[in-house]
Short mmCIF file of all heavy atoms in Angstrom, two decimals:
data_model
loop_
_atom_site.label_atom_id
_atom_site.label_comp_id
_atom_site.label_asym_id
_atom_site.label_seq_id
_atom_site.Cartn_x
_atom_site.Cartn_y
_atom_site.Cartn_z
N ILE B 155 -24.87 29.49 35.99
CA ILE B 155 -26.28 29.62 35.57
C ILE B 155 -27.22 28.90 36.54
O ILE B 155 -28.30 29.47 36.79
CB ILE B 155 -26.49 28.92 34.12
CG1 ILE B 155 -25.70 29.73 33.13
CG2 ILE B 155 -27.81 28.70 33.84
CD1 ILE B 155 -25.74 29.15 31.75
N CYS B 312 -29.90 27.13 23.23
CA CYS B 312 -29.53 26.95 24.67
C CYS B 312 -30.76 26.85 25.61
O CYS B 312 -31.60 27.82 25.52
CB CYS B 312 -28.51 27.91 25.07
SG CYS B 312 -28.12 27.82 26.91
N ILE B 313 -30.80 25.85 26.42
CA ILE B 313 -31.89 25.83 27.47
C ILE B 313 -31.31 26.07 28.88
O ILE B 313 -32.06 25.77 29.84
CB ILE B 313 -32.50 24.46 27.51
CG1 ILE B 313 -31.57 23.29 27.65
CG2 ILE B 313 -33.36 24.26 26.03
CD1 ILE B 313 -32.25 21.89 27.69
N ARG B 314 -30.13 26.76 28.93
CA ARG B 314 -29.49 27.21 30.20
C ARG B 314 -29.50 26.12 31.30
O ARG B 314 -29.80 26.32 32.44
CB ARG B 314 -30.35 28.38 30.80
CG ARG B 314 -30.71 29.47 29.79
CD ARG B 314 -29.59 30.43 29.67
NE ARG B 314 -30.10 31.57 28.83
CZ ARG B 314 -29.90 31.69 27.43
NH1 ARG B 314 -29.30 30.75 26.84
NH2 ARG B 314 -30.33 32.72 26.85
N CYS B 315 -28.93 24.99 30.88
CA CYS B 315 -28.87 23.90 31.76
C CYS B 315 -27.73 23.86 32.70
O CYS B 315 -27.59 23.25 33.62
CB CYS B 315 -29.00 22.52 31.07
SG CYS B 315 -27.53 22.14 30.13
N SER B 316 -26.62 24.53 32.06
CA SER B 316 -25.23 24.67 32.72
C SER B 316 -24.49 23.43 32.67
O SER B 316 -23.38 23.33 33.20
CB SER B 316 -25.41 25.15 34.16
OG SER B 316 -25.73 24.17 35.02
N ALA B 317 -24.86 22.40 31.83
CA ALA B 317 -23.98 21.25 31.71
C ALA B 317 -22.64 21.59 31.09
O ALA B 317 -21.63 21.10 31.48
CB ALA B 317 -24.57 20.27 30.85
N CYS B 318 -22.56 22.53 30.22
CA CYS B 318 -21.34 23.00 29.57
C CYS B 318 -20.33 23.59 30.59
O CYS B 318 -19.24 23.44 30.55
CB CYS B 318 -21.56 23.87 28.36
SG CYS B 318 -22.44 25.39 28.70
N ILE B 341 -21.12 28.58 27.24
CA ILE B 341 -22.27 29.25 26.54
C ILE B 341 -22.13 30.76 26.52
O ILE B 341 -22.28 31.41 25.68
CB ILE B 341 -23.63 28.81 27.13
CG1 ILE B 341 -24.76 29.40 26.34
CG2 ILE B 341 -23.74 29.02 28.62
CD1 ILE B 341 -24.80 29.11 24.83
N CYS B 370 -17.75 20.59 26.20
CA CYS B 370 -18.99 21.38 26.19
C CYS B 370 -19.95 20.79 25.12
O CYS B 370 -21.08 20.55 25.44
CB CYS B 370 -18.81 22.98 26.19
SG CYS B 370 -17.73 23.38 24.72
N ALA B 373 -21.30 17.50 26.09
CA ALA B 373 -22.39 17.57 27.20
C ALA B 373 -23.63 18.19 26.85
O ALA B 373 -24.67 18.04 27.48
CB ALA B 373 -21.69 18.26 28.38
N CYS B 374 -23.60 19.05 25.86
CA CYS B 374 -24.80 20.02 25.56
C CYS B 374 -25.95 19.14 25.17
O CYS B 374 -26.00 18.51 24.12
CB CYS B 374 -24.51 21.11 24.55
SG CYS B 374 -25.97 21.98 24.11
N PRO B 375 -27.14 19.33 25.85
CA PRO B 375 -28.39 18.55 25.51
C PRO B 375 -29.06 18.98 24.28
O PRO B 375 -29.82 18.11 23.69
CB PRO B 375 -29.34 18.76 26.75
CG PRO B 375 -28.81 20.08 27.24
CD PRO B 375 -27.31 20.17 26.98
N VAL B 376 -28.65 20.06 23.67
CA VAL B 376 -29.24 20.36 22.39
C VAL B 376 -28.25 20.63 21.40
O VAL B 376 -28.26 21.12 20.35
CB VAL B 376 -30.13 21.76 22.45
CG1 VAL B 376 -31.42 21.39 23.17
CG2 VAL B 376 -29.31 22.80 23.31
N ILE B 378 -25.33 22.05 20.86
CA ILE B 378 -24.65 23.25 20.25
C ILE B 378 -23.24 23.06 20.13
O ILE B 378 -22.48 22.79 21.06
CB ILE B 378 -24.91 24.49 21.24
CG1 ILE B 378 -26.46 24.68 21.41
CG2 ILE B 378 -24.25 25.75 20.78
CD1 ILE B 378 -26.81 25.76 22.56
N ILE B 380 -20.41 24.39 20.30
CA ILE B 380 -19.68 25.51 21.00
C ILE B 380 -18.25 25.81 20.24
O ILE B 380 -18.07 27.01 19.95
CB ILE B 380 -19.64 25.49 22.43
CG1 ILE B 380 -21.23 25.37 23.03
CG2 ILE B 380 -18.89 26.57 23.04
CD1 ILE B 380 -21.30 25.40 24.44
S1 LIG C 1 -25.01 25.59 25.82
FE1 LIG C 1 -25.95 23.54 25.89
S2 LIG C 1 -24.96 22.70 27.82
FE2 LIG C 1 -24.60 24.97 27.98
S3 LIG C 1 -26.17 25.70 29.14
FE3 LIG C 1 -26.89 25.83 27.06
S4 LIG C 1 -28.11 23.99 26.74
FE4 LIG C 1 -26.85 23.75 28.64
#
Side-chain angles (χ1 to χ4, degrees):
Chain B
I155 291 180
C312 177
I313 54 174
R314 312 278 188 265
C315 71
S316 77
C318 59
I341 181 62
C370 49
C374 179
V376 283
I378 300 173
I380 295 176

